[in-house]
């Protein structure tokens, strides 16, 4: 069954510039699709058209009838005074509505057991069970906990949440709704590693259809079964996840390049032959003109193919200062807190030259504070930090600011980096700032552009310790690859905070995990750390089971008649279960006698209550 059909879709916001230009594709029910393309190519526009928020200029986007669709980027306006819990409960309003109606029907049937009421009650009971009504409270808590929506946040007024917190709550609301098609626009933004991993697992198990836009390449690897790339307003198809897309895109580029070079060689050969034929025709063989014109038509057809363009790569490298010494950073007994809350304590570590360290942890764990301590921008409450005398550090903060945001990018380079205009323009061009772009004021730049500009400025100095705080935030995939190119050949000490697991896996050879006020120092990459963490969780569960068993073994012995009471209770349970089965068989015989069915239903209800009481008694005796 096809859930989504997009046919000849066109959309433009400026005259003569189409964002979508004949976009066409279909999505089958249950498919998980990654939508790829650079910023501004029309990915978000496509999702807004699919959910009916925008109208296309031409073409159509159809969603299969009866399929419920949800878009993560839309945050509805809720009534004043609603708490986060109210917002989450609103996502289950259909189940709450069924529950209220069942209560009303139960009250009505006490006085009027009409066939219509019985039919409605049976239908709604089945819907309530099928839609997960009995587990809706536990499901709400499961989703909230997975996305780091704490009990304190759940009781907090929704209007007082930060933008990132509202996005997380909105994502939870969307997951809790009875939605057939999920449209996810940067779903891992504002999520820490724990929540991003939980969401990946949720999407992987989700049976419905998913379209995901994301710059998180690790997420796309897990959450996408195939990819659609928007190129010049049209769709390119890749039958695999992001890693497959990267390899296949390069293969297609090389194939197009080979074909282009082959066409150019053929054009050159045909042109020489046509020139000779024209020459011979002028010398008396007029018929050869016709053959030459035929060749020139073929040349014209071959000339229409354009040379495939590969994404620009960074062409600059860090100017490194060679490290000399045994220790780059030493910390001993480090402690820091704010407003009576200790972020971390007892942190002791040593860093040697050339190490690549990723600092990871949940939001609010103190990662940025830890970096500021290392850079000397904060003072520890206890302990000390020592940086080697040969260390020359550069710091890219999460929020980039400049000395004067009214200056242009070019002026900022000239004033802050003390370089000549040509060198400034060359370095800016290497980071993708070309032509008139360099005359934009730095205050008007996006967060990603500011990070790129700051990195461009840092690369001019001789450094041997590079500290980066969320360097890939706000960057699209192409820009993240640019940054990776810049760091690829950097061989000095690198310390960075990141939620981009693709980036962490590529660069980190050591993981610092900041959690519950302490820092775990792991020697290895991200995948090795993740596997180690899973093993530790298994060991912890095994230890807890062993402790529980030990506690059971040390309890006083059971009373002498306990086994006899358990056996008696089990016989009573078996007898009741047999009576309930007999009532079910009798109900099948009287399927059209509603009075008899009502009588049998009342008997079964009473037996069910007695059975539940026996189960509880059996559990108590076994405990």
């Amino acid at each position: 069954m096809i859930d989504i059909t997009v046919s000849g879709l066109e959309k433009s916001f400026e005259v003569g510039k189409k964002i979508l230009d004949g976009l066409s594709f279909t999505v089958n029910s249950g498919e998980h699709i990654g939508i790829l393309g650079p910023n501004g190519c029309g990915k978000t526009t496509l999702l807004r058209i699919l959910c009916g928020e925008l109208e296309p200029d031409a073409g159509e986007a159809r969603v299969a009838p009866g399929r419920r669709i949800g878009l993560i980027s839309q945050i509805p306006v809720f009534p004043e005074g609603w708490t986060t819990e109210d917002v989450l409960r609103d996502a289950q309003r259909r189940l709450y509505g069924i529950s209220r109606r069942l209560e009303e029907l139960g009250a009505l049937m006490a006085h009027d057991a009409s066939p219509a009421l019985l039919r409605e009650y049976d239908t709604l009971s089945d819907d309530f069970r099928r839609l997960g009504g009995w587990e809706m409270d536990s499901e709400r808590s499961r989703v909230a906990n997975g996305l780091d929506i704490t009990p304190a946040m759940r009781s907090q007024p929704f209007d007082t949440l930060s933008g990132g917190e509202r996005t997380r709550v909105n994502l939870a609301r969307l997951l809790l709704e009875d939605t057939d098609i999920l449209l996810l626009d940067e779903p891992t933004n504002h999520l820490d590693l724990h929540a991003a991993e939980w969401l990946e697992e949720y999407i992987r198990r989700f049976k419905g259809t998913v379209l995901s836009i994301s710059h998180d390449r690790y997420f796309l690897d897990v959450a996408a079964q195939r990819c659609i790339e928007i190129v010049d307003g049209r769709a390119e198809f890749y039958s695999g996840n992001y890693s497959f897309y990267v390899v296949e895109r390069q293969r297609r580029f090389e194939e197009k390049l080979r074909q282009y070079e082959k066409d150019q060689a053929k054009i050159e050969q045909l042109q020489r032959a046509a020139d000779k034929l024209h020459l011979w025709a002028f010398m008396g063989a007029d018929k050869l003109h016709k053959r030459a014109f035929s060749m020139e038509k073929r040349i014209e057809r071959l000339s229409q193919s354009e040379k495939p363009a590969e994404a620009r790569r960074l062409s600059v490298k860090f100017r490194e200062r060679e490290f000399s010494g045994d220790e780059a950073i030493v910390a001993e007994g480090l402690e820091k807190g704010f407003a009576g809350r200790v972020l971390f304590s007892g942190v002791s570590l040593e860093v040697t030259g050339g190490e690549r360290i990723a600092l990871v942890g949940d939001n609010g764990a103190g990662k940025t504070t830890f970096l500021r301590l290392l850079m000397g921008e904060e003072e520890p409450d206890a302990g000390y930090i020592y940086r080697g005398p040969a260390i020359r550090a550069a710091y890219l903060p999460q929020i980039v600011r400049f000395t004067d945001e009214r200056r242009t990018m070019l002026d900022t380079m000239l004033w802050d980096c003390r370089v000549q205009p040509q060198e400034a323009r060359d370095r800016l061009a290497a980071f993708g700032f070309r032509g008139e772009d360099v005359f934009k004021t730095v205050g008007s730049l996006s967060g990603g552009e500011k990070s790129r500009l700051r990195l461009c400025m840092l690369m001019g100095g001789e450094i041997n310790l590079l500290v980066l705080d969320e360097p890939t935030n706000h960057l699209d995939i192409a820009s993240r690859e640019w940054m990776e190119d810049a760091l690829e050949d950097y061989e000095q000490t690198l310390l960075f905070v990141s939620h981009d697991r693709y980036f962490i896996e590529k660069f980190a050879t050591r993981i610092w995990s900041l959690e519950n006020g302490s820092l775990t120092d792991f020697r290895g990459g991200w995948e090795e750390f993740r596997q180690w963490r899973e093993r530790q969780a298994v060991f912890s569960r095994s230890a807890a089971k062993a402790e529980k068993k030990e506690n059971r073994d040390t309890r006083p012995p059971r009373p002498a008649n306990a086994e006899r009471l358990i056996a008696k209770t089990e016989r009573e349970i078996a007898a009741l279960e047999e009576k309930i089965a007999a009532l079910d068989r009798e109900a099948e015989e009287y399927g059209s006698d509603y009075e008899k069915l009502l009588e049998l239903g009342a008997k079964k209800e009473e037996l069910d209550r007695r059975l539940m009481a026996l189960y509880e008694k059996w559990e108590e005796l076994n405990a």
Side-chain angles (χ1 to χ4, degrees):
M1 175 182 174
I2 294 175
D3 267 0
I4 297 173
T5 302
V6 173
S7 178
L9 209 61
E10 294 183 10
K11 185 66 180 178
S12 60
F13 295 101
E14 298 178 24
V15 177
K17 185 179 179 182
K18 291 182 180 179
I19 292 179
L20 304 178
D21 187 12
L23 186 72
S24 300
F25 63 87
T26 59
V27 178
N28 294 321
S29 180
E31 276 196 299
H32 293 181
I33 309 293
I35 306 295
L36 305 176
N39 286 345
C41 74
K43 302 187 296 295
T44 298
T45 299
L46 169 65
L47 296 195
R48 292 174 68 190
I49 290 172
L50 286 173
C51 71
E53 189 179 329
L54 281 178
E55 286 293 326
D57 298 335
E60 61 176 351
R62 292 199 313 273
V63 176
R67 306 294 280 172
R68 290 167 55 86
I69 195 166
L71 174 61
I72 186 56
S73 66
Q74 295 172 315
I75 300 181
V77 177
F78 298 104
E80 187 177 353
W82 269 32
T83 64
T84 299
E85 184 70 12
D86 293 330
V87 172
L88 296 178
R89 283 175 175 268
D90 183 63
Q92 299 171 312
R93 56 189 174 278
R94 182 181 178 189
L95 289 173
Y96 279 108
I98 294 174
S99 178
R100 286 192 296 271
R101 181 57 182 162
L102 286 173
E103 289 177 5
E104 292 171 3
L105 289 172
L108 290 172
M109 287 191 305
H111 308 290
D112 175 19
S114 68
L117 288 178
L118 282 169
R119 280 196 300 272
E120 185 181 359
Y121 188 89
D122 287 343
T123 301
L124 287 178
S125 295
D126 185 58
D127 288 345
F128 192 72
R129 177 193 56 76
R130 179 176 52 81
L131 296 171
W134 298 111
E135 300 86 28
M136 62 180 175
D137 291 337
S138 59
E139 177 67 5
R140 189 167 63 252
S141 293
R142 185 178 75 87
V143 172
N145 294 337
L147 294 174
D148 288 337
I149 300 171
T150 62
M153 273 180 64
R154 291 172 70 171
S155 62
Q156 189 176 342
F158 182 76
D159 290 343
T160 64
L161 300 180
S162 68
E165 289 170 337
R166 289 190 194 193
T167 301
R168 293 213 309 274
V169 172
N170 189 46
L171 176 57
R173 179 191 63 81
L174 183 61
L175 297 182
L176 287 168
E177 285 184 342
D178 183 23
T179 304
D180 304 303
I181 302 170
L182 289 177
L183 305 180
L184 305 179
D185 192 353
E186 295 297 347
T188 58
N189 276 7
H190 309 292
L191 298 186
D192 54 32
L193 290 172
H194 163 78
E197 288 177 341
W198 181 90
L199 178 62
E200 286 165 359
E201 184 62 19
Y202 185 96
I203 297 300
R204 194 176 64 81
R205 295 175 180 274
F206 182 66
K207 302 299 184 188
T209 303
V210 182
L211 266 66
S212 301
I213 297 171
S214 182
H215 295 153
D216 186 335
R217 295 159 291 178
Y218 207 98
F219 175 83
L220 287 172
D221 261 352
V222 175
Q225 298 163 341
R226 69 182 179 100
C227 295
I228 298 174
E229 184 181 21
I230 300 179
V231 180
D232 298 326
R234 295 175 177 269
E236 296 270 351
F237 302 100
Y238 296 85
S239 57
N241 62 8
Y242 178 78
S243 291
F244 174 86
Y245 156 79
V246 171
V247 175
E248 177 64 11
R249 179 185 59 176
Q250 185 63 26
R251 187 196 67 78
R252 291 184 190 181
F253 168 78
E254 291 171 358
E255 185 178 323
K256 288 177 183 176
L257 185 60
R258 281 195 299 270
Q259 184 61 47
Y260 174 80
E261 290 170 347
K262 185 178 176 181
D263 288 347
Q264 293 304 303
K266 191 66 176 176
I267 288 171
E268 189 177 343
Q269 179 189 4
L270 289 171
Q271 190 63 60
R272 285 198 303 268
D275 291 343
K276 287 180 181 178
L277 288 173
H278 279 307
L279 180 62
W280 293 340
F282 280 120
M283 295 171 64
D286 291 341
K287 293 182 179 179
L288 295 180
H289 273 308
K290 188 175 181 181
R291 289 180 59 190
F293 288 142
S294 176
M295 285 184 179
E296 285 170 347
K297 285 183 180 179
R298 189 177 173 193
I299 290 170
E300 188 178 347
R301 287 196 300 272
L302 289 173
S303 298
Q304 290 175 358
S305 63
E306 294 182 1
K307 184 177 181 179
E310 190 172 22
R312 289 182 178 271
R313 318 298 288 185
L314 276 178
S315 57
V316 292
K317 296 181 181 179
F318 281 96
R319 291 174 59 186
E320 300 176 19
R321 180 188 179 95
E322 189 173 343
F323 174 74
S324 58
D326 297 327
E327 300 160 341
I329 302 173
V330 175
E332 190 68 40
L334 212 58
E335 182 177 322
K336 185 66 178 178
F338 290 103
R341 179 194 168 208
V342 177
L343 290 174
F344 46 82
S345 61
V347 175
S348 298
L349 48 87
E350 181 179 312
V351 179
T352 57
E355 290 196 274
R356 294 185 166 198
I357 304 165
L359 175 59
V360 301
D362 291 345
N363 292 336
K367 303 185 297 296
T368 295
T369 301
F370 193 83
L371 292 189
R372 289 172 62 84
L373 285 174
L374 293 182
M375 295 303 297
E377 296 185 4
E378 295 276 354
E379 290 295 323
D381 297 338
Y384 71 88
I385 294 174
Y386 165 80
R387 288 212 319 244
I391 289 295
R392 294 293 178 270
Y395 179 39
L396 178 68
Q398 191 171 155
I399 300 173
V400 177
R401 294 185 175 88
F402 298 91
T403 52
D404 187 348
E405 301 222 335
R406 293 170 298 178
R407 289 179 185 153
T408 66
M409 284 190 278
L410 181 59
D411 287 340
T412 299
M413 290 289 292
L414 296 175
W415 280 84
D416 292 1
C417 300
R418 305 297 180 187
V419 294
Q420 295 299 314
Q422 189 57 51
E423 183 183 349
R425 297 203 67 148
D426 289 345
R427 283 168 59 179
L428 287 169
F431 275 80
F433 300 117
R434 296 179 176 82
E436 296 299 314
D437 286 347
V438 302
F439 299 113
K440 288 182 181 177
T441 59
V442 294
S444 68
L445 301 179
S446 68
E449 288 171 329
K450 286 183 176 180
S451 294
R452 236 186 320 147
L453 176 58
R454 175 64 76 190
L455 191 64
C456 177
M457 296 167 69
L458 294 179
M459 292 184 78
E462 293 185 353
I463 58 175
N464 50 24
L465 171 60
L466 182 59
V467 180
L468 310 174
D469 192 357
E470 295 288 0
T472 58
N473 261 13
H474 314 295
L475 300 184
D476 60 16
I477 289 177
S479 297
R480 292 179 187 213
E481 291 174 348
W482 282 1
M483 183 163 288
E484 289 165 6
D485 286 344
L487 296 171
E488 193 75 52
D489 298 322
Y490 176 72
E491 296 179 351
Q492 300 302 314
T493 308
L494 175 65
L495 171 60
F496 62 92
V497 170
S498 183
H499 290 154
D500 185 340
R501 290 152 296 168
Y502 206 93
F503 186 87
I504 297 172
E505 177 64 19
K506 185 165 187 174
F507 290 107
T509 56
R510 184 176 177 183
I511 306 290
W512 288 348
S513 176
L514 199 54
E515 188 176 12
N516 299 324
S518 63
L519 187 141
T520 301
D521 188 357
F522 179 83
R523 305 276 179 165
W526 171 252
E527 275 302 309
E528 295 168 305
F529 172 71
R530 192 179 61 80
Q531 292 167 12
W532 173 82
R533 190 176 54 181
E534 289 176 356
R535 289 195 300 270
Q536 294 302 115
V538 171
F539 295 153
S540 297
R541 287 194 295 269
S542 299
K545 286 180 181 177
E547 184 179 353
K548 190 175 179 181
K549 182 177 184 299
E550 186 179 340
N551 291 337
R552 282 202 306 269
D553 294 343
T554 56
R555 285 181 307 188
R558 274 183 183 168
N561 64 342
E563 296 295 341
R564 183 168 54 81
L565 288 173
I566 290 172
K568 180 185 176 186
T569 305
E570 287 174 348
R571 289 196 297 274
E572 290 175 353
I573 288 171
L576 274 180
E577 287 177 340
E578 180 54 40
K579 287 181 180 179
I580 290 170
L583 285 176
D584 286 337
R585 290 192 293 271
E586 195 173 350
E588 290 177 6
E589 295 175 13
Y590 294 95
S592 57
D593 188 340
Y594 293 106
E595 289 186 6
K596 185 66 174 177
L597 285 174
L598 187 61
E599 179 190 337
L600 293 174
K603 287 182 180 179
K604 185 180 176 183
E605 217 172 287
E606 175 60 28
L607 292 179
D608 281 336
R609 280 197 295 270
R610 288 168 57 190
L611 183 61
M612 290 303 297
L614 284 173
Y615 278 140
E616 290 174 4
K617 181 181 177 182
W618 183 86
E619 287 177 1
E620 289 172 4
L621 288 170
N622 274 279

